């Protein structure tokens, strides 16, 4: 069965990515797409692309740290390769913990990690996302409490409490990482808290990643309307944090909720399209290409090794 299910994972991932790309773009004509991009000055496009790239570099750092956490350090280029390919698909497919996890499994098992180590790596990366969002979200909630109240319809005291809790959790995580060495057991697997240095970099990289995503969105919006980075960043992080904690705002997408709050009644489809192009769709296309090429290269190497092993001795 292993001969079939592993290639099937890759085929399903690529198929889903292609379908989602088609579904995202099918509602717009070529003219709509071209006009949306043309309305954004080249400088803003380059800046948005730069912040998107910075975000994916931060994300590759998650894997780089995670490999050291599980005791199987690999060169950065391999961590970046696996991270970008898995997350460029996972961001678009959804359920990133599972979808990007399946692609990560394909890469890291080939590079010698056990299933348990890959599972720990995935949990470590998910934890990095969580502590980064909590740290930045708690800061935004406490620095811009009125903005949080208006966006979420929560009371001011509750917003303050949420902000304190959001900041306290990463702090507690760092304290536990400094002093607790006893493994945490989940079913038949055990998980150890990372050393303080790794935990510290988790909080830093996780926070910077969300700041870069917000900066990418800001560049797209600032090209067509007057809006501040702090407003966009605070609203973006608050929407993410509020959605994570209290499931608001009512089913709206995070990006759409930020734009609707900051710029109500304005037609910003062009900016949103550009943001989705730069941060989601272009990485998706590149990720699909990288995944396909990777599968071909690995399969060719596997066949070459098999042929060499089957060759008669001394041939």
């Amino acid at each position: 069965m292993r001969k079939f299910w592993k290639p099937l994972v890759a085929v399903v991932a690529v198929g889903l990515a292609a379908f989602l790309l088609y579904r995202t773009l099918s509602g717009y004509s070529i003219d709509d797409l071209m006009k949306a991009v043309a309305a954004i000055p080249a400088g803003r496009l380059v800046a948005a692309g730069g912040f998107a790239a910075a975000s994916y570099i931060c994300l590759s750092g998650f894997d780089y740290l995670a490999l050291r956490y599980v005791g199987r350090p690999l060169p950065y280029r391999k961590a970046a390769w696996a991270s970008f390919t898995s997350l460029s698909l996972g961001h678009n497919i959804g359920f990133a913990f599972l979808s990007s996890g399946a692609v990560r499994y394909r890469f890291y098992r080939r590079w010698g990690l056990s299933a348990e180590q890959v599972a720990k790596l995935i949990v470590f990366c998910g934890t990095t996302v969580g502590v980064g969002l909590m740290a930045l979200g708690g800061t935004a909630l406490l620095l811009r409490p009125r903005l949080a109240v208006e966006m979420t319809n929560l009371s001011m005291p509750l917003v303050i409490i949420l902000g304190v809790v959001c900041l306290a959790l990463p702090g507690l995580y760092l304290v536990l990482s400094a002093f607790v060495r006893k493994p945490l057991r989940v079913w038949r697997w055990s998980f150890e808290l990372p050393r303080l240095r790794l935990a510290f970099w988790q909080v830093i990289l996780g926070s910077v990643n969300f700041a870069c995503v917000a900066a990418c969105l800001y560049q797209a919006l600032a090209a067509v309307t007057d809006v501040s980075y702090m407003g966009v960043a605070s609203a973006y992080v608050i929407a993410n944090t509020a959605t994570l904690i209290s499931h608001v705002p009512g089913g709206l997408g995070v990006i759409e909720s930020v734009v609707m709050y900051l710029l109500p009644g304005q037609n910003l489809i062009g900016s949103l399209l550009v943001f989705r192009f730069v941060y989601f769709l272009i990485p998706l296309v590149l990720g699909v290409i990288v995944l396909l090429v990777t599968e071909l290269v690995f399969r060719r190497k596997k066949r070459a090794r098999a042929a060499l092993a089957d060759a008669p001795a001394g041939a």
Side-chain angles (χ1 to χ4, degrees):
M1 288 296 294
R2 290 181 180 178
K3 294 181 179 179
F4 295 100
W5 79 264
K6 287 184 178 180
L8 182 62
V9 169
V11 171
V12 170
V14 172
L16 275 173
F19 168 73
L20 289 166
L21 179 61
Y22 168 77
R23 189 183 69 177
T24 302
L25 299 180
S26 61
Y28 305 97
S29 68
I30 296 297
D31 287 341
D32 291 333
L33 301 178
M34 295 300 293
K35 288 178 181 178
V37 175
I40 308 297
R44 293 289 186 184
L45 277 176
V46 171
F51 284 117
S55 171
Y56 279 95
I57 290 172
C58 289
L59 293 171
S60 68
F62 294 6
D63 283 59
Y64 186 74
L65 294 177
L67 288 165
R68 275 139 186 80
Y69 164 70
V70 301
R72 291 299 301 269
L74 294 175
Y76 172 75
R77 59 182 176 80
K78 287 190 174 182
W81 185 2
S83 174
F84 176 77
T85 307
S86 60
L87 292 174
S88 61
L89 273 67
H91 283 165
N92 288 274
I93 294 172
F95 302 101
F97 188 81
L98 296 176
S99 55
S100 63
V103 179
R104 277 190 173 109
Y105 184 86
R106 290 281 289 166
F107 277 93
Y108 291 123
R109 287 288 282 162
R110 285 164 168 161
W111 291 331
L113 274 70
S114 67
E116 181 177 355
Q117 287 172 328
V118 176
K120 289 180 178 180
L121 180 146
I122 293 170
V123 171
F124 182 93
C125 291
T127 302
T128 307
V129 172
V131 295
L133 179 59
M134 289 293 181
L136 201 59
T139 302
L141 287 170
L142 294 179
L143 290 179
R144 304 291 293 273
R146 293 189 181 280
L147 177 64
V149 169
E150 293 172 3
M151 285 191 67
T152 64
N153 293 321
L154 299 175
S155 65
M156 180 66 75
L158 184 54
V159 166
I160 299 299
I161 291 172
L162 288 176
V164 172
V165 170
C166 284
L167 284 179
L169 289 176
L172 177 62
Y173 181 69
L174 292 174
V175 171
L176 292 176
S177 297
F179 297 105
V180 176
R181 298 270 63 89
K182 185 178 179 180
L184 305 175
R185 297 197 63 84
V186 178
W187 191 34
R188 57 191 177 90
W189 289 340
S190 63
F191 296 87
E192 294 184 357
L193 287 167
R195 297 289 181 179
L196 179 59
R197 183 177 179 181
L198 283 180
F200 172 78
W201 281 109
Q202 280 184 277
V203 176
I204 296 299
L205 282 178
S207 301
V208 173
N209 169 58
F210 281 104
C212 289
V213 180
C216 179
L217 176 61
Y218 163 74
Q219 292 297 329
L221 293 175
V224 295
T225 189
D226 184 21
V227 64
S228 70
Y229 169 73
M230 285 304 299
V232 173
S234 297
Y236 177 77
V237 175
I238 288 169
N240 267 291
T241 307
T243 300
L244 179 66
I245 295 174
S246 55
H247 304 290
V248 290
L252 290 172
V254 171
I255 305 303
E256 287 73 15
S257 65
V258 171
V259 174
M260 287 178 63
Y261 171 77
L262 290 175
L263 304 161
Q266 295 195 39
N267 183 10
L268 297 171
I269 186 62
S271 294
L272 289 176
L273 275 176
V274 166
F275 172 74
R276 293 193 179 280
F277 269 133
V278 171
Y279 194 79
F280 293 100
L281 298 182
I282 292 176
L284 173 61
V285 172
L286 294 176
V288 169
I289 293 172
V290 171
L291 181 59
L292 288 173
V293 172
T294 299
E295 290 297 320
L296 291 174
V297 170
F298 274 118
R299 289 180 70 84
R300 181 173 296 176
K301 287 183 177 180
K302 184 177 181 180
R303 285 196 297 267
R305 287 194 299 266
L308 184 62
D310 292 339

